Amino acid sequence: MATLYGLMAIGLWGTLALLGTVTANIPAFQLLSLCFTLSAIIIVIKRIAVKKPVFTKPTLTLTQWLFGITGLFGFHFCYFMALKFAPVIEVSLIVYLWPLLLATLVANKQSRFRALIGGGLGFIGIAFIIVGNGELTLNSEYRIGYLLAVICAVIWGSYSWFLSTSNNDVEDIAWLSAAVALLALIAHWLFETSYWSFSLSEWGGILLLGLGPVGGAFYLWDIALKKGNQQLLASLSFSTPLISSVILAIAGFNAWSANIIIALALILSGAIIANMKIKPAVIKASN
């Protein structure tokens, strides 16, 4: 069941691009602050529903606070900053090195090579989606953006790995969300101009983002990496851009492309290789 939660989180992240088209006019950090506020409210509503105390002391250690805030806020901060210094295609592709990093971190010594091969195939698969028929040009003038994108990948891969080793209560994500909402609000004041003339569709987009890919999905991911099949989840994380492409194509924002089929084949092949169980050879002793 925990692995299914992880697949649900991946599916929710696949809706991010579509919901992003609805909220495109909202400054990034302002939107992030609103979404993480909703993420924290999820647990408040849950506790009211089950008649539990609304506010309880978090069980997070200092290390868990640091990893949690760095993972949830640091990732988004570096991503938004990377987009200011480099084109979105290159940034997106570099950021999606994180499933490859996660796959190698959660693999044991016997399966690490297969994890690298499978992750490599998955990465090639998402390149067909992200780059598409466009042009990928790594230009030295964008090196700051590339560096920030690499930091994004390291942050999210490391944070996801840390979740698999951590024993904090999943509801503590609400406290982390509140902290991230505050930091995002500060970043908004520093870097952006406020925009509050939200249309009804924008309010809907904010609500869906906060309940889904920029909120609720983090609770699901936390449970999945603590109790689910971490290697499989790392492999299938490559499918997020694929899901986005399919959803955008269905909604009429993207054209259907053979790249979708190629990406699907590569991602599934990579997942099969990375999760293949090799039976140890049995050596019979001679009499």
Side-chain angles (χ1 to χ4, degrees):
M1 188 65 183
T3 301
L4 180 59
Y5 287 151
L7 296 178
M8 289 168 63
I10 292 169
L12 287 173
W13 288 329
T15 67
L16 186 57
L18 178 62
L19 293 174
T21 63
V22 179
T23 55
N25 292 327
I26 304 173
F29 287 115
Q30 182 180 4
L31 179 62
L32 194 66
S33 180
L34 291 168
C35 290
F36 272 100
T37 299
L38 287 170
S39 175
I41 291 172
I42 289 173
I43 295 303
V44 172
I45 293 172
K46 180 200 167 188
R47 288 182 175 175
I48 291 173
V50 298
K51 298 181 179 178
K52 279 187 175 182
V54 173
F55 297 106
T56 57
K57 186 178 178 181
T59 62
L60 297 164
T61 63
L62 178 60
T63 301
Q64 289 168 338
W65 272 109
L66 291 174
F67 263 90
I69 291 174
T70 301
L72 295 174
F73 178 73
F75 171 82
H76 290 94
F77 180 85
C78 290
Y79 179 71
F80 294 148
M81 289 295 106
L83 292 177
K84 292 181 181 293
F85 293 101
V88 65
I89 290 178
E90 286 93 323
V91 168
S92 299
L93 191 60
I94 293 170
V95 167
Y96 265 93
L97 286 168
W98 77 260
L100 179 57
L101 174 61
L102 177 59
T104 56
L105 288 174
V106 299
N108 55 38
K109 188 181 290 185
Q110 292 73 30
S111 63
R112 190 158 290 134
F113 180 71
R114 293 196 307 278
L116 281 169
I117 297 297
L121 285 173
F123 183 72
I124 294 170
I126 66 164
F128 275 92
I129 292 295
I130 293 173
V131 179
N133 298 320
E135 185 179 350
L136 178 67
T137 305
L138 296 178
N139 193 317
S140 61
E141 70 178 283
Y142 302 135
R143 59 185 177 276
I144 295 176
Y146 298 156
L147 177 60
L148 287 166
V150 169
I151 293 172
C152 278
V154 172
I155 286 175
W156 195 253
S158 301
Y159 169 71
S160 296
W161 167 79
F162 181 75
L163 287 180
S164 71
T165 66
S166 182
N167 62 352
N168 65 286
D169 187 337
V170 65
E171 292 192 1
D172 285 334
I173 296 289
W175 286 104
L176 292 173
S177 294
V180 171
L182 178 60
L183 289 171
L185 184 59
I186 293 171
H188 167 61
W189 284 336
L190 291 174
F191 301 115
E192 299 171 337
T193 302
S194 293
Y195 168 84
W196 290 106
S197 303
F198 301 144
S199 66
L200 186 60
S201 61
E202 285 174 330
W203 277 117
I206 292 167
L207 179 62
L208 291 175
L209 283 167
L211 295 177
V214 192
F218 299 126
Y219 295 95
L220 298 173
W221 194 239
D222 187 285
I223 297 169
L225 286 176
K226 284 182 172 64
K227 301 177 182 179
N229 186 329
Q230 299 152 1
Q231 189 68 62
L232 180 61
L233 291 170
S235 299
L236 293 180
S237 293
F238 285 111
S239 64
T240 302
L242 174 64
I243 295 168
S244 291
S245 266
V246 170
I247 290 174
L248 288 171
I250 291 172
F253 289 100
N254 247 3
W256 290 98
S257 166
N259 288 344
I260 292 177
I261 304 300
I262 296 170
L264 178 61
L266 286 166
I267 291 167
L268 291 179
S269 298
I272 291 169
I273 291 171
N275 293 275
M276 193 180 295
K277 303 297 181 185
I278 305 297
K279 293 183 180 179
V282 178
I283 302 175
K284 295 182 179 180
S286 55
N287 294 326

